[in-house]
Amino acid sequence: MSNTVLIGAQWGDEGKGKVVDVLTEDADLVIRMQGGNNAGHTVWVGKKKYVLHLIPSGILHPNKVCVIGNGVVMDPVHLVHELDGLKKLRIKVNKRLYISENAHLVMPYHRELDALRETSRGKGKIGTTKRGIGPTYMDKASRQGIRLGDLMQPDRFANLLKDRLRVNNAILKANGVKPLSYQRILEDYLQAAKRLKPFVTNTLPLIHDAMGSGKRMLFEGAQGTFLDIDHGTYPYVTSSSTTAGGACTGSGVPPNRVSRVVGVMKAYTTRVGEGPFPTEDDGLGDLFHGMGREFGATTGRARRCGWLDMVMIRHASMVNGFDDLSVTNLDGLDGLDEIKVCVAYRFKGKRLEYMPASHETLEACQPIYESFAGWKRDTSSAQSWKELPLKARAYLKALSQMAGCRLSSVSVGPDRSQIIHLS
Ligand code: GDP
Ligand code: IMO
Ligand code: MG
């Protein structure tokens, strides 16, 4: 049995798409289990750039099967656009993509409500991607959601839409937003339904039959540990379980069938949206943005940047049970004289080894740094551990030790080929 769960160890955008693409070589099925098109996973193959939002990154490997699990929330119109994009790039998806009929639908009123709530929060906004993710998971939890299986039955969908739109249009109207057209949504969604029909199925037996015949699963996490609805920096989080446990609930694969959990982390830290970020450093952000790095793959927003925070990585390792870590973007640090790593926090004069539970306390924490000498050499063409500068190796060894976790790979550039596998 070799079933691997891949999870972002920070606030998302760790390079999960790239690492999934590399690990797909050793997998038969690649499964998305949570989140929606708030995710943006970038994969470079030669000179071609692919940004995937809902479809697992494994789709770029011919002959691999991809599954969108029950825990994902999906905007069917967006998914059709994503399929069109793949078609243009000559990626074949027939008999390679399956979508759970239990996945909940993101509806146009969810996006409106997302925007409305952000506006009404004023300064306390979350900085969401405005893709309607929070309101969709809210409807799921309050048992008012509409699922992909419902969309496959036009009459049933029409009735559900009528009912939900009545309630949600009243909310929109009360808040000064133009009500949405029933006819327009019905047409758009039923058109998308026709296109999606061949992919929609009960994914549970599909996954279990594949496991039964010895096929290997790779679970592609979206977002990151600190955006998790339970374990993240609440309320500055997304609305799904982004940590390893989410792989089970979001797919129907039981915990005892997971054989490995890989954490993906950048060699520094980034965050998009609001919320605490103890090691944030605007100077580092300016440097990365000046190099054209660290702009969001979904919204294009400049990502907030800071030093690596090992208190976070240790916390992420506890929550997810990382067997190993994949470090990405090491090359981002190539030009620096000094590299800082946060090893603990100071709060009201006391040293904290663990992340505090409340976001207000985290906001008030000062990072305690350890300094590392920069290697000041280009690492982007390194193909082996030995080809990395000694100081880069020292940095990586130290962070593996601090995390209490072995490193399985180090990525030194966006391309598929720019990765060093460590045994
Ligand atoms: P994801 O959401 O975790 O899949 O990550 P994103 O795709 O949103 O953001 C990661 C960004 O870093 C993308 O632009 C990737 O192409 C890029 N990337 C991934 N690994 C590396 C690396 O090792 N070096 C460099 N320079 N870029 C990388
Ligand atoms: P990937 O999979 C980075 C952030 C948003 C916001 C918060 C809530 O590419 O790593 P939401 O729209 O989910 O309600 O927004 O979560 N966020 C992400 N940040 N990468 C992502 O996905 C994200 N998905 C959501 O910026 O702070
Ligand atoms: Mg991303």
Side-chain angles (χ1 to χ4, degrees):
M1 174 179 80
S2 164
N3 298 326
T4 300
V5 174
L6 183 136
I7 296 292
Q10 294 156 319
W11 276 297
D13 302 328
E14 296 89 349
K16 298 176 294 292
K18 177 191 165 157
V19 180
V20 166
D21 177 63
V22 171
L23 294 183
T24 297
E25 289 278 357
D26 299 321
D28 300 298
L29 265 78
V30 184
I31 306 173
R32 267 283 302 269
M33 61 283 194
Q34 44 70 226
N37 64 331
N38 48 348
H41 297 176
T42 319
V43 183
W44 281 89
V45 184
K47 290 202 162 55
K48 269 195 189 160
K49 180 183 178 182
Y50 303 85
V51 182
L52 295 148
H53 300 281
L54 276 168
I55 300 176
S57 305
I59 204 77
L60 305 180
H61 288 253
N63 311 322
K64 305 288 177 172
V65 170
C66 290
V67 178
I68 298 180
N70 55 276
V72 171
V73 291
M74 51 150 329
D75 173 342
V77 178
H78 171 91
L79 184 54
V80 168
H81 286 312
E82 209 167 314
L83 287 170
D84 286 342
L86 288 178
K87 200 172 172 187
K88 271 196 201 127
L89 295 162
R90 295 173 198 280
I91 307 274
K92 293 209 166 65
V93 295
N94 279 354
K95 303 240 184 296
R96 294 186 52 218
L97 177 67
Y98 297 95
I99 314 168
S100 168
E101 55 198 357
N102 284 350
H104 278 249
L105 297 180
V106 177
M107 303 297 295
Y109 48 81
H110 291 134
R111 280 194 300 277
E112 296 287 347
L113 292 172
D114 194 355
L116 204 57
R117 286 199 187 119
E118 282 288 88
T119 310
S120 69
R121 277 174 168 266
K123 275 194 167 162
K125 69 174 186 197
I126 308 289
T128 73
T129 59
K130 301 209 176 126
R131 298 295 190 265
I133 304 301
T136 306
Y137 278 113
M138 262 180 71
D139 271 358
K140 174 179 176 173
S142 64
R143 294 152 293 180
Q144 298 185 77
I146 308 180
R147 301 192 287 182
L148 192 53
D150 300 318
L151 180 63
M152 294 299 123
Q153 305 167 61
D155 292 342
R156 181 179 168 78
F157 177 73
N159 284 333
L160 286 170
L161 175 64
K162 196 167 277 169
D163 178 65
R164 305 296 188 270
L165 203 55
R166 191 175 39 81
V167 176
N168 286 290
N169 266 346
I171 300 172
L172 295 180
K173 229 168 131 184
N175 284 280
V177 178
K178 209 173 134 212
L180 299 167
S181 152
Y182 167 75
Q183 207 54 41
R184 178 78 200 269
I185 302 175
L186 189 66
E187 278 167 26
D188 288 351
Y189 273 55
L190 290 184
Q191 201 179 337
K194 272 193 203 147
R195 183 77 189 280
L196 298 180
K197 200 173 173 60
F199 307 108
V200 180
T201 188
N202 179 358
T203 49
L204 195 75
L206 181 130
I207 292 174
H208 280 262
D209 286 351
M211 275 198 303
S213 60
K215 298 266 196 290
R216 302 154 301 172
M217 315 279 143
L218 174 60
F219 294 87
E220 175 172 351
Q223 291 81 49
T225 300
F226 295 93
L227 290 173
D228 184 278
I229 185 75
D230 286 283
H231 300 286
T233 47
Y234 191 89
Y236 300 99
V237 293
T238 190
S239 301
S240 66
S241 296
T242 64
T243 44
C248 298
T249 49
S251 68
V253 171
N256 60 357
R257 303 306 298 269
V258 174
S259 45
R260 177 185 173 204
V261 183
V262 181
V264 183
M265 58 181 278
K266 276 184 175 142
Y268 46 89
T269 312
T270 62
R271 169 164 212 171
V272 195
E274 309 302 316
F277 185 171
T279 63
E280 185 167 19
D281 184 307
D282 290 343
L284 201 58
D286 290 344
L287 180 83
F288 289 149
H289 298 143
M291 291 158 78
R293 307 171 70 111
E294 301 309 345
F295 292 94
T298 297
T299 58
R301 288 179 288 178
R303 295 176 182 144
R304 297 160 64 191
C305 300
W307 301 105
L308 183 58
D309 184 337
M310 290 310 296
V311 185
M312 284 178 74
I313 301 295
R314 287 199 301 265
H315 187 104
S317 191
M318 281 193 287
V319 173
N320 294 294
F322 292 146
D323 292 290
D324 50 87
L325 285 165
S326 174
V327 178
T328 67
N329 286 275
L330 183 75
D331 55 302
L333 303 177
D334 282 354
L336 299 173
D337 292 314
E338 183 201 16
I339 298 166
K340 294 199 263 185
V341 174
C342 170
V343 294
Y345 300 140
R346 193 167 305 287
F347 177 68
K348 292 191 174 166
K350 280 204 182 122
R351 185 182 165 106
L352 298 186
E353 303 291 339
Y354 295 99
M355 275 187 91
S358 96
H359 76 88
E360 284 96 347
T361 310
L362 187 60
E363 199 82 68
C365 281
Q366 300 298 318
I368 299 175
Y369 286 119
E370 204 169 287
S371 258
F372 290 80
W375 41 93
K376 308 271 290 174
R377 253 178 60 197
D378 178 31
T379 56
S380 65
S381 55
Q383 286 289 299
S384 69
W385 178 252
K386 283 195 174 146
E387 286 175 45
L388 286 174
L390 277 175
K391 284 175 182 157
R393 289 189 238 168
Y395 180 69
L396 292 167
K397 269 189 194 159
L399 69 88
S400 164
Q401 208 165 27
M402 285 188 247
C405 208
R406 102 189 160 80
L407 306 187
S408 50
S409 67
V410 180
S411 170
V412 290
D415 194 75
R416 230 181 222 180
S417 61
Q418 291 174 296
I419 194 150
I420 300 169
H421 295 283
L422 308 171
S423 50

